[in-house]
């Protein structure tokens, strides 16, 4: 109890692990994780892709900033992505291209033949597509382990089965207590608790920001013929489904976003059935079995941008939350950005094109706070 850490990070998912790893060389850090092992919640349940446009134009700088780090460390495997539509979806595809026009992403338009070449069993009325050649699969477990290994090697204390239960700030030092009875003192409390980001703020007596967990379901299908390994990630331009191959199987999601409280999310049969129904309406693959199904929480701030920065009321409380559906693909740049902020360091080649103010929690006290907080 004598030691005072510079930073106590709450949560050892991708967010907490990556940020602790970036802070560790220059600071004394402890990570408190509620579960028996890191990665049990959203981080262990992702669909594992790096897709330049995912999350919208405001997320692109974080995704593009992270790409080189992921590639240089061997965590990406080329996949390619196709946004697909029918004749009536052409305006939606056009407006998608317009939205990303100045963001630096690569999008090529394809017609029916280009689509059919890449996705063999799509029904003939799917005639338009946008091709994103840079999309890749991410080795999520590998990336998470990379950060966990780095924090072990740099002397970070990682305590599992340590659910933060109380936090009091006295004379510039947080006195933290876990449900299991551990006591920790730290100068800055970092909220990397994923779906629990708002409850953590409330626990320490701060205003929540309206970060809402939304459930997302994925089913692993055995299909006939088997899914080819070079199939791209296929996303409906209207957001009704996506699928990608995994070792001859297909991972299929109905792109659901069911509001829920922070919890150990489980898939609902209705969402799996919906995914299958949509899939059968757009392809002629035969589904032989649903081998596996899972759900996880994607947590969004009201404007769907992540929240990185000191709390507007309590600067010793740092938000590293709201990573939505892009928390893996943006992790390297986001962690560097936050560490540079916390340690007063210069931007580097991964963060130089990122405007940190876009993600500041201060944006809620200025504009949307009334509405976001009224909705809680
Ligand atoms: C189905 C699905 C598909 C996805 N696909 C992709 C994808 O393809 N690409 C991509 O980039 N992203 C994807 N995502 C999003 C990505 O998984 C998340 O953005 C990311 O995992 C968030 O990481 P995190 O560390 O913030 O959250 P989590 O991994 O949930 O970690 C938060 C941690 O905080 C801990 N915690 C909570 N409360 C406390 C407390 N009181 N004390 C101590 N610890 C606490 C929890 O136990 C948990 O381990 C997907 C998500 C889902 C659900």
């Amino acid at each position: 109890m004598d030691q005072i850490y510079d930073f106590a990070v709450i949560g050892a998912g991708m967010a907490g692990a990556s940020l602790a790893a970036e802070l560790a060389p220059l600071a004394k850090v402890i990570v408190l994780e509620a579960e028996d092992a890191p990665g049990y919640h959203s981080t262990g349940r992702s669909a594992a892709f790096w897709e330049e446009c995912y999350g919208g134009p405001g997320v692109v700088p974080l995704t593009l900033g992270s790409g080189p780090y992921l590639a240089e460390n061997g965590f990406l495997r080329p996949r390619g992505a196709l946004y697909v539509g029918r004749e009536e979806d052409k305006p939606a595809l056009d407006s998608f291209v317009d939205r990303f026009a100045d963001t630096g992403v690569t999008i090529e338009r394809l017609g029916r033949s280009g689509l059919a070449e890449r996705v063999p069993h799509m029904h003939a009325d799917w005639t338009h597509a946008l091709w994103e050649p840079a999309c890749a699969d991410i080795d999520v477990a590998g990336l998470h382990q990379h950060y966990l290994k780095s924090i072990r090697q740099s002397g970070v204390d990682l305590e599992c089965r340590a659910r933060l239960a109380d936090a009091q700030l006295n004379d510039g030092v947080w006195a933290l207590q876990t449900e299991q009875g551990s006591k920790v003192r730290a100068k800055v409390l970092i909220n990397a608790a994923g779906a629990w980001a708002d409850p953590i703020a409330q626990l320490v007596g701060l205003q929540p920001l309206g970060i809402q967990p939304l459930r997302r379901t994925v089913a692993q299908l055995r299909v006939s013929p088997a899914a080819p390994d070079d199939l791209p990630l296929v996303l409906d331009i209207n957001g009704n489904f996506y699928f990608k191959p995994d070792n001859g199987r297909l991972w299929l999601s109905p792109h659901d976003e069911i509001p829920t409280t922070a919890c150990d999310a489980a898939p609902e049969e209705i969402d799996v059935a919906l995914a299958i129904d949509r899939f059968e309406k757009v392809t002629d693959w035969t589904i032989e079995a649903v081998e596996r199904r899972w759900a996880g929480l994607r947590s969004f701030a009201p404007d769907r941008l992540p929240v990185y920065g000191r709390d507007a009321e309590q600067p010793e409380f740092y938000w590293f939350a709201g990573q939505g559906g892009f928390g893996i693909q943006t992790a390297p740049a986001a962690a560097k950005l936050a560490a540079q902020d916390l340690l007063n360091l210069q931007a580097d080649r991964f963060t130089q094109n990122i405007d940190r103010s876009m993600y500041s929690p201060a944006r809620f006290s200025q504009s949307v706070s009334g509405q976001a907080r009224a909705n809680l």
Side-chain angles (χ1 to χ4, degrees), residues 11 13-15 33-34 41-43 47-49 164 216 296 324-329:
M14 191 60 83
E33 167 53 52
H41 290 289
S42 304
T43 296
F49 53 75
L164 183 70
R216 166 71 43 102
F326 44 80
I328 311 294
Q329 66 176 37

Side-chain angles (χ1 to χ4, degrees), residues 280-366:
E280 288 181 328
K281 284 192 174 118
V282 304
T283 79
D284 57 20
W285 257 297
T286 302
I287 298 174
E288 294 183 329
V290 179
E291 293 184 326
R292 208 155 70 85
R293 63 205 82 195
W294 68 93
L297 301 180
R298 301 153 78 249
S299 298
F300 290 93
D303 59 4
R304 293 178 81 103
L305 290 179
V307 188
Y308 307 143
R310 292 178 186 273
D311 184 79
E313 292 167 34
Q314 177 45 265
E316 306 320 317
F317 183 92
Y318 197 90
W319 291 87
F320 197 57
Q323 287 87 346
F326 44 80
I328 311 294
Q329 66 176 37
T330 56
K336 285 177 185 294
L337 192 76
Q340 288 158 5
D341 186 17
L342 285 160
L343 298 170
N344 292 317
L345 302 175
Q346 296 291 313
D348 62 11
R349 69 188 169 101
F350 302 103
T351 57
Q352 64 194 1
N353 296 323
I354 303 172
D355 172 6
R356 196 164 62 212
S357 68
M358 283 176 67
Y359 311 120
S360 165
R363 69 192 192 266
F364 297 107
S365 23
Q366 284 154 13

Side-chain angles (χ1 to χ4, degrees), residues 181-197:
S182 292
K183 292 184 176 175
V184 169
R185 291 196 296 161
K187 293 178 196 159
V188 176
L189 184 57
I190 298 177
N191 181 4
W196 288 264

